[in-house]
């Protein structure tokens, strides 16, 4: 008789994996915790901008997730069958997400909003501008008023207005909505003359210069160019602001097309492709230069080498008048400053701040900015401080500097007074009042003393919005579309009031014409009548 034990069939062994090597996930978690902690500490000490800190944190979390996934699939303690199933499911989920999601927009601190790929973008759902333009438009951009805001940053390009006194309490006297409506994509602001506001926007495959009635929001005319700029970080559409001068409109598109339009109808008078004609390379995030009109010239940053960095055209004919400089364009615009008694066109390029003679473009002075190798873009405008000093500011962790401009006959020189990181503007510009500068320092409102560069306070997070100085008040538009009033005082941060003005993401400067405030995002524009203090 056979033994019962000898007749047994060996039972199958569990389908176990290799050694789990538990030190691997422990190490991943430990390294991730240290990375996040260091990034947060360096950010809090202002040695690292929030955007860069967020990228480090996001990258480390993604890498840790991938490593943990690979450890589990190939070395985890579960059965081989389960690990294979988890691996397949994980790869399928990644494929589904990659195939169905797309980036809709990226904030100034690199926070990402996603969209489903099959959903049209907001600018692609708008009707053609030609279908909305008034059939009986009677636009007059030649009649100027004291309340005009005819170019980027308003009169003088200093983001400062002194001819209006805003009420401080918007609870008792709330802003009155005149109109609020969809608009094409882009980061342009409004230029306002009389009863009309001109801007730039993207609708589908057309880049537009558009003119609206400021009272009603009714589109009066639109000039279309078959261009479309799109970048997953920088967004969609044009990003410069038109200039209205002597009844004409001058605008530079994101792909470098400079146009002069008849203000009454939007009819094209002349055009130039400033990138191609000046053998320039387009900036990664699109041309952002708002044209400057001075005397008989319209001046733009082309960014070409061999004397073709800054170019001037005749305002009437469009014929080239002069070109000068060798530095590539960044995202700043030319501005007219009077320093040491000499009017000059100052432009912040990719590596240099350069001052040109308006008559023939020759260079008076130039200086490296920043004064170390930094590949990040320059966006902020140079700001005159008195008649012989210039303040320059920059985000991306760089900061600001004050320069002394000197002239001896035909010899110009630039000396550094101070340099620190107390004011780090990214997409915005500082404003100056009574010896103090106010601006958004990596998204937080800050006040510094100009003479020393010392910070007086830093409070109030508005992200990467914009600031106007209105008499003794700061009108701050947040990146999320809120509008707030803050006292322009070095004593302390005091926000007086705020309201939600528009939805979406706003890197667009607000424009104020008298009591009428025009604000916009990449998808919506609105006009409000603000309460004022009557004289």
């Amino acid at each position: 008789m056979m033994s019962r034990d000898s007749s047994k069939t060996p039972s199958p062994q569990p389908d176990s994996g290799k050694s789990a090597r538990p030190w691997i996930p422990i190490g991943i978690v430990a390294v991730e915790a240290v990375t996040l902690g260091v990034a947060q500490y360096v950010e809090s000490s202002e040695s690292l901008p929030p955007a860069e800190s967020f990228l480090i944190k996001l990258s480390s979390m993604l890498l840790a997730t991938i490593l943990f996934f690979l450890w589990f699939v190939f070395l985890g303690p579960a059965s081989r069958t389960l690990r294979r199933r988890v691996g397949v499911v994980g790869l399928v989920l990644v494929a589904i997400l990659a195939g169905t999601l797309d980036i809709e927009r990226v904030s100034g601190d690199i926070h990402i909003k996603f969209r489903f790929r099959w959903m049209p973008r907001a600018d692609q759902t708008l009707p053609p501008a030609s279908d909305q333009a008034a059939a009986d438009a009677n636009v007059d951009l030649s009649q100027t008023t004291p309340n005009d805001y005819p170019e980027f940053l308003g009169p003088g390009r200093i983001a400062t207005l002194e001819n209006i006194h805003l009420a401080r309490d918007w609870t008792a006297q709330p802003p009155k909505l005149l109109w609020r409506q969809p608009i094409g994509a882009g980061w342009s602001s409004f230029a306002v003359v009389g009863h009309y506001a001109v801007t730039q926007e993207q609708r589908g495959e057309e880049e537009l210069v558009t003119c609206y009635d400021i009272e009603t929001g009714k589109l009066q005319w639109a000039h279309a160019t078959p261009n479309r700029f799109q970048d997953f970080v920088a967004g969609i559409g044009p990003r410069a602001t038109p200039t209205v001068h002597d009844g004409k409109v001058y605008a530079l598109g994101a792909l470098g097309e400079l146009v002069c339009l008849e203000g009454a109808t939007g009819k094209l008078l002349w055009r130039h492709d400033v990138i191609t004609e000046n053998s320039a390379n387009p900036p990664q995030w699109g041309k952002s230069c708002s044209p400057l009109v001075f005397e008989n010239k319209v001046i733009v940053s082309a960014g070409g080498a061999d004397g073709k960095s800054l170019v001037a055209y005749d305002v009437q004919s469009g014929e080239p008048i002069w070109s000068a400089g060798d530095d590539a364009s960044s995202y700043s615009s030319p501005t007219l400053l009077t320093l040491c008694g000499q009017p000059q066109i100052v432009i912040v390029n990719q590596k240099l701040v350069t001052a040109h003679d308006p008559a023939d473009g020759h260079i008076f002075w130039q200086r490296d900015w920043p004064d170390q190798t930094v590949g990040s873009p320059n966006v902020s405008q140079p700001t005159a401080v008195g008649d012989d000093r210039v303040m320059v500011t920059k985000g991306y962790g760089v900061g600001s500097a004050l320069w002394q401009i000197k002239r001896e006959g035909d010899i110009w020189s630039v000396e550094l007074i101070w340099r620190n990181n107390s004011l780090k503007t990214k997409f915005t510009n500082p404003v100056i009042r009574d010896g103090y500068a106010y601006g958004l320092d990596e998204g937080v409102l800050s006040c510094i003393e100009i003479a020393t560069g010392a910070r007086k306070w830093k409070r109030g997070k508005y992200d990467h919005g914009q600031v106007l100085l209105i008499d003794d008040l700061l009108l701050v538009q947040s990146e999320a579309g809120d509008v707030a009033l803050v006292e322009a005082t070095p004593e302390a941060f005091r926000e007086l009031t705020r309201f939600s003005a528009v939805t979406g993401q706003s890197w667009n400067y607000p424009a104020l014409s008298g009591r009428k405030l025009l604000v916009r995002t990449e998808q919506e524009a609105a006009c409000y009548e603000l309460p004022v203090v009557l004289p």
Side-chain angles (χ1 to χ4, degrees), residues 97-147:
L97 291 175
T100 59
L101 295 181
D102 191 13
I103 294 175
E104 180 174 346
R105 62 173 180 254
V106 179
S107 76
D109 284 336
I110 320 298
H111 298 161
I112 302 171
K113 180 178 180 180
F114 291 95
R115 55 182 284 274
F116 290 112
R117 290 183 180 274
W118 57 81
M119 295 176 61
R121 295 186 182 273
D123 73 281
Q124 296 171 324
T125 64
L126 294 175
S130 57
D131 293 348
Q132 290 188 314
D136 56 348
N138 184 25
V139 175
D140 187 355
L141 295 179
S142 64
Q143 296 298 315
T144 61
T145 75
N147 292 327

Side-chain angles (χ1 to χ4, degrees), residues 314-326:
D314 184 274
V315 293
Q316 298 296 335
S317 66
E319 290 297 316
I321 297 178
W322 56 252
S323 65
D326 304 305

Side-chain angles (χ1 to χ4, degrees), residues 168 436 438 445-448 455-460 462 472-474 485-496:
R168 282 168 146 74
Y436 295 90
Y438 303 86
L445 191 62
S446 300
C447 170
I448 68 169
R455 180 184 291 158
K456 306 304 291 185
W457 51 259
K458 179 179 178 180
R459 289 209 34 211
Y462 300 94
D472 61 346
L473 295 172
L474 302 171
L485 278 188
V486 179
E487 287 189 347
T489 173
E491 296 175 1
F493 167 77
R494 300 191 189 106
E495 182 182 283
L496 303 176

Side-chain angles (χ1 to χ4, degrees), residues 292-364:
L292 173 69
V293 176
F294 180 64
E295 295 178 340
N296 65 326
K297 308 172 189 71
V298 55
I299 301 152
V300 295
S301 173
D306 301 322
K308 295 182 179 180
S309 178
L310 192 70
V311 295
Y313 302 93
D314 184 274
V315 293
Q316 298 296 335
S317 66
E319 290 297 316
I321 297 178
W322 56 252
S323 65
D326 304 305
D327 200 8
S329 295
S330 198
Y331 303 92
S332 183
S333 299
T335 188
L336 181 70
L337 304 180
T338 298
L339 301 168
C340 301
Q342 171 66 56
Q344 48 201 273
I345 298 164
V346 184
I347 176 72
V348 182
N349 300 305
Q350 182 57 42
K351 298 178 180 178
L352 300 169
V353 178
T354 307
H356 297 260
D357 187 338
D360 58 12
H362 84 263
I363 295 174
F364 287 136

